[in-house]
Amino acid sequence: QKEVEQNSGPLSVPEGAIASLNCTYSDRGSQSFFWYRQYSGKSPELIMSIYSNGDKEDGRFTAQLNKASQYVSLLIRDSQPSDSATYLCAVWMDSSYKLIFGSGTRLLVRP
Amino acid sequence: DTAVSQTPKYLVTQMGNDKSIKCEQNLGHDTMYWYKQDSKKFLKIMFSYNNKELIINETVPNRFSPKSPDKAHLNLHINSLELGDSAVYFCASAGGVSYEQYFGPGTRLTVT
């Protein structure tokens, strides 16, 4: 089992829709979770961090964490073509002092 | 002001050569990292330094040698380059207790 798993996609949604990106992780003791956005040819950009169970909202982005199910998700409301990118889920492993990345989900927002 | 910067942005070289990549951060962070992103876009940690001290050294060939002259700089020297070293190398930094990491623009290394 991979430490952090994401569906590679592409996830295709129409402009204005809600995009839902999912991530599962294997280390039950993990406490810190991050979503990064990476445009083609660019570096990963931190867009959300979440540490507690529940929802965290920032503008059009909502991160959701369920530690019991070892599940993290990112919702993007009112999706725009400019949101088209690869979204990387990352989990901090306290046991090894490492940030482990999933392989990323490619999001395509159709105009 | 660029928070995490890397030079060079592109590096094209032949097999067997030695090359270096430099990274600097002006965020005042204590911890810096090197990541490798392969052609399948998988991002994997290589090294981590905290205040000039090596913390993480993944199973990376010893042809790769990081050096941190101070906590704002982390360089990566690669000896005897191989075709499989072709990738994008990212530097990142983190500070405080949040574990949030901020990435540099990346160095695309192509070995021919």
Side-chain angles (χ1 to χ4, degrees):
Chain A
Q1 183 189 6
K2 288 183 183 174
E3 293 175 287
V4 180
E5 293 207 58
Q6 294 180 257
N7 188 321
S8 61
L11 172 66
S12 181
V13 301
E15 185 174 353
I18 295 176
S20 178
L21 303 157
N22 304 316
C23 171
T24 58
Y25 60 94
S26 60
D27 184 352
R28 187 169 286 279
S30 295
Q31 301 290 329
S32 306
F33 307 86
F34 308 91
W35 283 99
Y36 285 81
R37 177 176 62 197
Q38 187 174 24
Y39 292 113
S40 181
K42 300 294 186 184
S43 60
E45 175 193 5
L46 179 66
I47 54 172
M48 290 287 284
S49 56
I50 186 165
Y51 305 98
S52 305
N53 275 332
D55 294 0
K56 179 181 177 184
E57 190 174 317
D58 183 359
R60 294 187 296 113
F61 298 100
T62 299
Q64 298 175 316
L65 174 60
N66 183 327
K67 291 183 183 178
S69 300
Q70 294 173 241
Y71 180 90
V72 193
S73 64
L74 179 71
L75 300 178
I76 307 175
R77 287 183 299 283
D78 188 25
S79 295
Q80 301 296 308
S82 59
D83 294 326
S84 297
T86 296
Y87 289 81
L88 302 167
C89 173
V91 179
W92 176 260
M93 301 290 182
D94 286 327
S95 56
S96 57
Y97 300 103
K98 291 189 291 189
L99 193 60
I100 304 298
F101 285 83
S103 55
T105 298
R106 191 165 145 243
L107 173 67
L108 180 63
V109 181
R110 309 186 305 272
Chain B
D1 261 358
T2 304
V4 184
S5 59
Q6 290 179 234
T7 53
K9 189 163 183 177
Y10 299 97
L11 194 48
V12 181
T13 189
Q14 291 185 326
M15 283 175 55
N17 284 348
D18 304 338
K19 290 294 177 187
S20 292
I21 307 172
K22 296 188 175 183
C23 178
E24 177 180 359
Q25 56 96 1
N26 62 7
L27 297 168
H29 288 164
D30 289 329
T31 309
M32 297 183 73
Y33 305 84
W34 278 113
Y35 286 87
K36 179 179 180 181
Q37 189 169 47
D38 59 25
S39 57
K40 294 184 179 177
K41 307 301 181 190
F42 188 63
L43 197 59
K44 193 166 189 299
I45 189 166
M46 300 173 69
F47 301 102
S48 167
Y49 270 76
N50 181 271
N51 208 4
K52 302 192 296 177
E53 184 180 337
L54 182 65
I55 301 175
I56 295 173
N57 184 347
E58 288 293 284
T59 49
V60 176
N62 58 15
R63 298 182 295 103
F64 291 78
S65 53
K67 279 196 172 55
S68 182
D70 55 60
K71 73 174 192 177
H73 296 83
L74 180 62
N75 304 323
L76 183 65
H77 187 75
I78 316 170
N79 289 327
S80 303
L81 278 155
E82 300 177 356
L83 291 176
D85 297 333
S86 295
V88 181
Y89 293 84
F90 289 104
C91 175
S93 74
V97 296
S98 70
Y99 308 120
E100 292 178 353
Q101 294 187 17
Y102 297 89
F103 284 76
T107 297
R108 182 174 294 277
L109 171 65
T110 303
V111 182
T112 62

